[in-house]
Amino acid sequence: MKYIIFNWKSYLNLKQTLSLSKTISNLPKSKKYKLISSPNNFFTLTSNKFFPKNILASQNFDNHGLGASTGSLDISHLVENKIMYSILGHSEVRSNYDENDSYVREKLNLCLKNNITPIVCIGESKGVYKSKITKVFLKSQVNKIFDKSINYKEVLLAYEPLWSIGTGLTPELEEIQEISSYLSEILKNYSFKKINILYGGSVNLTNISDILNLQNVNGVLVGSASTKMDFINYFK
Ligand code: PGA
C-alpha cells in the first residue's frame, strides 16, 4: 500500500477543491493506494461534509492552545472534526512562519497525544545537497525531531529536498532510493508502531510510477501536480 498525499496548499478555490474531492470520492476502492487529501485548511470541513469518505489531512496546526490566539488552528479542532492526519514542518511553513525542528518536535508530540497521524517533512537545501552532506543534515533533523525514549504510533516521514519543491527538479531515482534506505536505517534507533517514508518534491505524472516503484519509498507527497484532474485520475 502506497500513501499518496495531495497537498493543495493555497492553490485552489472552494469550487475547485470540491471538484477534485468529488473525483477522489468516486475513484474505485484501491488496495494499492491510500489517498489522503490536504485542502487549504479553510476548506477542509466543507470538503469533509460533502465527501465524508475521503481521508483528509490538515496542512498545519500550531501549539498555542485554545484561547486568545488569533489566527490559530489548534489540534483539538482536528480531533473534534475527525481530521486524522496533519502535515508538520512543511518547508513553506518553516520559511513563512520561522518554524524549526524543535517546534516540529513539540507538534509531533501533540499528534501522539491526540491520535493524529503526523506527516513530518524534512529535507535539505540546495547548498547542503551540493556540498554532499545531505545524510548528515537529515540525520541531525531526525535527531532534533524524534525522541529515543518515546514509543511513537504511526508516523509518515516525507523526504522533501527544498530545492525540489515547486521547481520541476528532482534528485536522481538512485539518490531518492539511497536517502530512503538511509532514513529507514537511522529510524531503527527510534520506536514506531508503523513508520513509512515518502518522497515529495516535483512529483508529477511522468515520474510518479518510477518513484513509487523504489524500494523503501512508501508513497509520495504531491503539491502542484495534485491540483490537476489528470493527476487524480492516475489512481483510477
Ligand atoms: P510540489 O510540492 O509537488 O509542487 O513540488 C511538493 C510539496 O510541497 O510537498
Side-chain angles (χ1 to χ4, degrees), residues 13-38:
N13 63 25
L14 180 59
K15 196 172 163 210
Q16 294 162 329
T17 301
L18 294 180
S19 161
L20 289 183
S21 302
K22 184 175 181 185
T23 304
I24 291 167
S25 81
N26 287 332
L27 289 172
K29 266 214 155 118
S30 162
K31 290 205 170 102
K32 252 169 101 181
Y33 306 116
K34 181 159 188 154
L35 305 179
I36 301 173
S37 312
S38 195

mmCIF file of all heavy atoms in Angstrom, residues 13-38:
data_model
loop_
_atom_site.group_PDB
_atom_site.id
_atom_site.type_symbol
_atom_site.label_atom_id
_atom_site.label_comp_id
_atom_site.label_asym_id
_atom_site.label_seq_id
_atom_site.Cartn_x
_atom_site.Cartn_y
_atom_site.Cartn_z
ATOM 1 N N ASN A 13 -9.553 27.415 -5.202
ATOM 2 C CA ASN A 13 -10.710 27.999 -4.508
ATOM 3 C C ASN A 13 -11.648 26.857 -4.080
ATOM 4 O O ASN A 13 -11.356 25.674 -4.323
ATOM 5 C CB ASN A 13 -11.410 29.052 -5.385
ATOM 6 C CG ASN A 13 -11.974 28.452 -6.664
ATOM 7 O OD1 ASN A 13 -12.273 27.260 -6.720
ATOM 8 N ND2 ASN A 13 -12.120 29.267 -7.697
ATOM 9 N N LEU A 14 -12.753 27.222 -3.450
ATOM 10 C CA LEU A 14 -13.634 26.193 -2.890
ATOM 11 C C LEU A 14 -14.208 25.281 -3.978
ATOM 12 O O LEU A 14 -14.250 24.060 -3.841
ATOM 13 C CB LEU A 14 -14.767 26.856 -2.085
ATOM 14 C CG LEU A 14 -15.764 25.889 -1.452
ATOM 15 C CD1 LEU A 14 -15.077 24.917 -0.496
ATOM 16 C CD2 LEU A 14 -16.864 26.648 -0.707
ATOM 17 N N LYS A 15 -14.641 25.919 -5.085
ATOM 18 C CA LYS A 15 -15.256 25.135 -6.162
ATOM 19 C C LYS A 15 -14.259 24.099 -6.721
ATOM 20 O O LYS A 15 -14.602 22.922 -6.919
ATOM 21 C CB LYS A 15 -15.685 26.116 -7.267
ATOM 22 C CG LYS A 15 -16.637 25.531 -8.241
ATOM 23 C CD LYS A 15 -17.169 26.610 -9.174
ATOM 24 C CE LYS A 15 -17.792 25.919 -10.381
ATOM 25 N NZ LYS A 15 -17.713 26.719 -11.585
ATOM 26 N N GLN A 16 -13.029 24.530 -6.935
ATOM 27 C CA GLN A 16 -12.009 23.610 -7.468
ATOM 28 C C GLN A 16 -11.682 22.514 -6.449
ATOM 29 O O GLN A 16 -11.494 21.347 -6.816
ATOM 30 C CB GLN A 16 -10.733 24.402 -7.801
ATOM 31 C CG GLN A 16 -10.918 25.384 -8.947
ATOM 32 C CD GLN A 16 -9.819 26.449 -8.976
ATOM 33 O OE1 GLN A 16 -9.274 26.839 -7.944
ATOM 34 N NE2 GLN A 16 -9.501 26.933 -10.165
ATOM 35 N N THR A 17 -11.660 22.900 -5.180
ATOM 36 C CA THR A 17 -11.379 21.921 -4.119
ATOM 37 C C THR A 17 -12.452 20.840 -4.105
ATOM 38 O O THR A 17 -12.164 19.639 -4.037
ATOM 39 C CB THR A 17 -11.332 22.635 -2.738
ATOM 40 O OG1 THR A 17 -10.326 23.636 -2.776
ATOM 41 C CG2 THR A 17 -11.052 21.666 -1.607
ATOM 42 N N LEU A 18 -13.721 21.266 -4.194
ATOM 43 C CA LEU A 18 -14.819 20.303 -4.142
ATOM 44 C C LEU A 18 -14.852 19.432 -5.398
ATOM 45 O O LEU A 18 -15.192 18.249 -5.335
ATOM 46 C CB LEU A 18 -16.160 21.015 -3.934
ATOM 47 C CG LEU A 18 -16.296 21.710 -2.569
ATOM 48 C CD1 LEU A 18 -17.656 22.393 -2.440
ATOM 49 C CD2 LEU A 18 -16.082 20.735 -1.412
ATOM 50 N N SER A 19 -14.476 20.018 -6.519
ATOM 51 C CA SER A 19 -14.478 19.248 -7.752
ATOM 52 C C SER A 19 -13.425 18.120 -7.699
ATOM 53 O O SER A 19 -13.715 16.967 -8.035
ATOM 54 C CB SER A 19 -14.244 20.240 -8.896
ATOM 55 O OG SER A 19 -13.822 19.605 -10.018
ATOM 56 N N LEU A 20 -12.226 18.435 -7.231
ATOM 57 C CA LEU A 20 -11.207 17.376 -7.089
ATOM 58 C C LEU A 20 -11.628 16.358 -6.033
ATOM 59 O O LEU A 20 -11.457 15.153 -6.216
ATOM 60 C CB LEU A 20 -9.853 17.975 -6.687
ATOM 61 C CG LEU A 20 -9.075 18.784 -7.717
ATOM 62 C CD1 LEU A 20 -7.737 19.214 -7.147
ATOM 63 C CD2 LEU A 20 -8.842 18.005 -9.009
ATOM 64 N N SER A 21 -12.228 16.862 -4.950
ATOM 65 C CA SER A 21 -12.648 15.963 -3.864
ATOM 66 C C SER A 21 -13.711 14.989 -4.363
ATOM 67 O O SER A 21 -13.722 13.811 -3.998
ATOM 68 C CB SER A 21 -13.223 16.768 -2.689
ATOM 69 O OG SER A 21 -12.263 17.678 -2.228
ATOM 70 N N LYS A 22 -14.589 15.494 -5.220
ATOM 71 C CA LYS A 22 -15.648 14.631 -5.772
ATOM 72 C C LYS A 22 -15.032 13.521 -6.635
ATOM 73 O O LYS A 22 -15.403 12.344 -6.525
ATOM 74 C CB LYS A 22 -16.598 15.489 -6.617
ATOM 75 C CG LYS A 22 -17.778 14.710 -7.146
ATOM 76 C CD LYS A 22 -18.720 15.629 -7.862
ATOM 77 C CE LYS A 22 -19.912 14.832 -8.374
ATOM 78 N NZ LYS A 22 -20.804 15.635 -9.163
ATOM 79 N N THR A 23 -14.083 13.897 -7.471
ATOM 80 C CA THR A 23 -13.408 12.895 -8.308
ATOM 81 C C THR A 23 -12.732 11.844 -7.435
ATOM 82 O O THR A 23 -12.827 10.639 -7.698
ATOM 83 C CB THR A 23 -12.367 13.579 -9.225
ATOM 84 O OG1 THR A 23 -13.037 14.577 -9.975
ATOM 85 C CG2 THR A 23 -11.690 12.597 -10.149
ATOM 86 N N ILE A 24 -12.081 12.298 -6.368
ATOM 87 C CA ILE A 24 -11.402 11.347 -5.469
ATOM 88 C C ILE A 24 -12.415 10.413 -4.820
ATOM 89 O O ILE A 24 -12.215 9.204 -4.746
ATOM 90 C CB ILE A 24 -10.585 12.116 -4.398
ATOM 91 C CG1 ILE A 24 -9.405 12.816 -5.073
ATOM 92 C CG2 ILE A 24 -10.104 11.187 -3.284
ATOM 93 C CD1 ILE A 24 -8.703 13.849 -4.229
ATOM 94 N N SER A 25 -13.548 10.972 -4.406
ATOM 95 C CA SER A 25 -14.527 10.122 -3.719
ATOM 96 C C SER A 25 -15.164 9.115 -4.680
ATOM 97 O O SER A 25 -15.649 8.079 -4.250
ATOM 98 C CB SER A 25 -15.585 10.967 -3.014
ATOM 99 O OG SER A 25 -16.547 11.364 -3.928
ATOM 100 N N ASN A 26 -15.099 9.393 -5.982
ATOM 101 C CA ASN A 26 -15.671 8.451 -6.958
ATOM 102 C C ASN A 26 -14.656 7.431 -7.480
ATOM 103 O O ASN A 26 -15.015 6.565 -8.277
ATOM 104 C CB ASN A 26 -16.250 9.219 -8.157
ATOM 105 C CG ASN A 26 -17.539 9.919 -7.771
ATOM 106 O OD1 ASN A 26 -18.251 9.469 -6.874
ATOM 107 N ND2 ASN A 26 -17.828 11.042 -8.417
ATOM 108 N N LEU A 27 -13.409 7.546 -7.059
ATOM 109 C CA LEU A 27 -12.409 6.578 -7.532
ATOM 110 C C LEU A 27 -12.745 5.199 -6.961
ATOM 111 O O LEU A 27 -13.210 5.100 -5.817
ATOM 112 C CB LEU A 27 -11.004 6.982 -7.066
ATOM 113 C CG LEU A 27 -10.390 8.221 -7.728
ATOM 114 C CD1 LEU A 27 -9.086 8.598 -7.031
ATOM 115 C CD2 LEU A 27 -10.148 7.984 -9.214
ATOM 116 N N PRO A 28 -12.492 4.153 -7.738
ATOM 117 C CA PRO A 28 -12.757 2.818 -7.194
ATOM 118 C C PRO A 28 -11.845 2.545 -6.000
ATOM 119 O O PRO A 28 -10.729 3.054 -5.948
ATOM 120 C CB PRO A 28 -12.414 1.877 -8.360
ATOM 121 C CG PRO A 28 -11.662 2.695 -9.338
ATOM 122 C CD PRO A 28 -11.963 4.138 -9.097
ATOM 123 N N LYS A 29 -12.341 1.758 -5.052
ATOM 124 C CA LYS A 29 -11.531 1.410 -3.870
ATOM 125 C C LYS A 29 -10.257 0.726 -4.324
ATOM 126 O O LYS A 29 -10.301 -0.110 -5.225
ATOM 127 C CB LYS A 29 -12.322 0.457 -2.973
ATOM 128 C CG LYS A 29 -13.084 1.141 -1.890
ATOM 129 C CD LYS A 29 -13.109 0.237 -0.653
ATOM 130 C CE LYS A 29 -13.293 1.063 0.571
ATOM 131 N NZ LYS A 29 -14.458 0.827 1.316
ATOM 132 N N SER A 30 -9.137 1.083 -3.717
ATOM 133 C CA SER A 30 -7.867 0.510 -4.176
ATOM 134 C C SER A 30 -7.105 -0.097 -3.009
ATOM 135 O O SER A 30 -7.069 0.470 -1.916
ATOM 136 C CB SER A 30 -7.030 1.629 -4.802
ATOM 137 O OG SER A 30 -5.695 1.259 -4.884
ATOM 138 N N LYS A 31 -6.507 -1.250 -3.262
ATOM 139 C CA LYS A 31 -5.629 -1.839 -2.241
ATOM 140 C C LYS A 31 -4.200 -1.351 -2.441
ATOM 141 O O LYS A 31 -3.341 -1.537 -1.602
ATOM 142 C CB LYS A 31 -5.665 -3.366 -2.346
ATOM 143 C CG LYS A 31 -6.986 -3.958 -1.898
ATOM 144 C CD LYS A 31 -6.799 -5.408 -1.442
ATOM 145 C CE LYS A 31 -8.048 -5.929 -0.780
ATOM 146 N NZ LYS A 31 -8.851 -6.802 -1.657
ATOM 147 N N LYS A 32 -3.968 -0.704 -3.589
ATOM 148 C CA LYS A 32 -2.610 -0.266 -3.916
ATOM 149 C C LYS A 32 -2.268 1.082 -3.284
ATOM 150 O O LYS A 32 -1.134 1.332 -2.925
ATOM 151 C CB LYS A 32 -2.512 -0.094 -5.443
ATOM 152 C CG LYS A 32 -1.678 -1.156 -6.121
ATOM 153 C CD LYS A 32 -1.830 -1.086 -7.616
ATOM 154 C CE LYS A 32 -0.664 -0.398 -8.275
ATOM 155 N NZ LYS A 32 -0.858 -0.328 -9.747
ATOM 156 N N TYR A 33 -3.283 1.946 -3.202
ATOM 157 C CA TYR A 33 -3.012 3.320 -2.781
ATOM 158 C C TYR A 33 -3.906 3.737 -1.613
ATOM 159 O O TYR A 33 -5.081 3.398 -1.589
ATOM 160 C CB TYR A 33 -3.307 4.306 -3.921
ATOM 161 C CG TYR A 33 -2.596 3.999 -5.205
ATOM 162 C CD1 TYR A 33 -3.319 3.661 -6.349
ATOM 163 C CD2 TYR A 33 -1.205 4.051 -5.272
ATOM 164 C CE1 TYR A 33 -2.674 3.383 -7.549
ATOM 165 C CE2 TYR A 33 -0.558 3.777 -6.469
ATOM 166 C CZ TYR A 33 -1.292 3.444 -7.601
ATOM 167 O OH TYR A 33 -0.653 3.167 -8.771
ATOM 168 N N LYS A 34 -3.339 4.521 -0.702
ATOM 169 C CA LYS A 34 -4.153 5.201 0.304
ATOM 170 C C LYS A 34 -4.082 6.681 -0.039
ATOM 171 O O LYS A 34 -3.012 7.295 0.070
ATOM 172 C CB LYS A 34 -3.600 4.927 1.691
ATOM 173 C CG LYS A 34 -4.399 5.560 2.785
ATOM 174 C CD LYS A 34 -4.135 4.856 4.087
ATOM 175 C CE LYS A 34 -5.081 5.348 5.152
ATOM 176 N NZ LYS A 34 -5.285 4.350 6.179
ATOM 177 N N LEU A 35 -5.192 7.238 -0.485
ATOM 178 C CA LEU A 35 -5.208 8.641 -0.932
ATOM 179 C C LEU A 35 -5.619 9.546 0.222
ATOM 180 O O LEU A 35 -6.659 9.328 0.851
ATOM 181 C CB LEU A 35 -6.201 8.802 -2.084
ATOM 182 C CG LEU A 35 -5.994 7.878 -3.293
ATOM 183 C CD1 LEU A 35 -7.065 8.140 -4.348
ATOM 184 C CD2 LEU A 35 -4.604 8.048 -3.889
ATOM 185 N N ILE A 36 -4.802 10.535 0.495
ATOM 186 C CA ILE A 36 -5.098 11.487 1.579
ATOM 187 C C ILE A 36 -5.045 12.892 0.986
ATOM 188 O O ILE A 36 -4.021 13.297 0.419
ATOM 189 C CB ILE A 36 -4.056 11.353 2.710
ATOM 190 C CG1 ILE A 36 -4.065 9.914 3.262
ATOM 191 C CG2 ILE A 36 -4.318 12.367 3.822
ATOM 192 C CD1 ILE A 36 -2.963 9.606 4.261
ATOM 193 N N SER A 37 -6.151 13.622 1.102
ATOM 194 C CA SER A 37 -6.191 14.977 0.533
ATOM 195 C C SER A 37 -5.935 16.006 1.625
ATOM 196 O O SER A 37 -6.461 15.894 2.733
ATOM 197 C CB SER A 37 -7.563 15.296 -0.058
ATOM 198 O OG SER A 37 -8.011 14.260 -0.865
ATOM 199 N N SER A 38 -5.173 17.016 1.273
ATOM 200 C CA SER A 38 -4.935 18.107 2.217
ATOM 201 C C SER A 38 -5.344 19.426 1.564
ATOM 202 O O SER A 38 -4.528 20.142 0.972
ATOM 203 C CB SER A 38 -3.459 18.115 2.620
ATOM 204 O OG SER A 38 -3.278 18.918 3.751
#
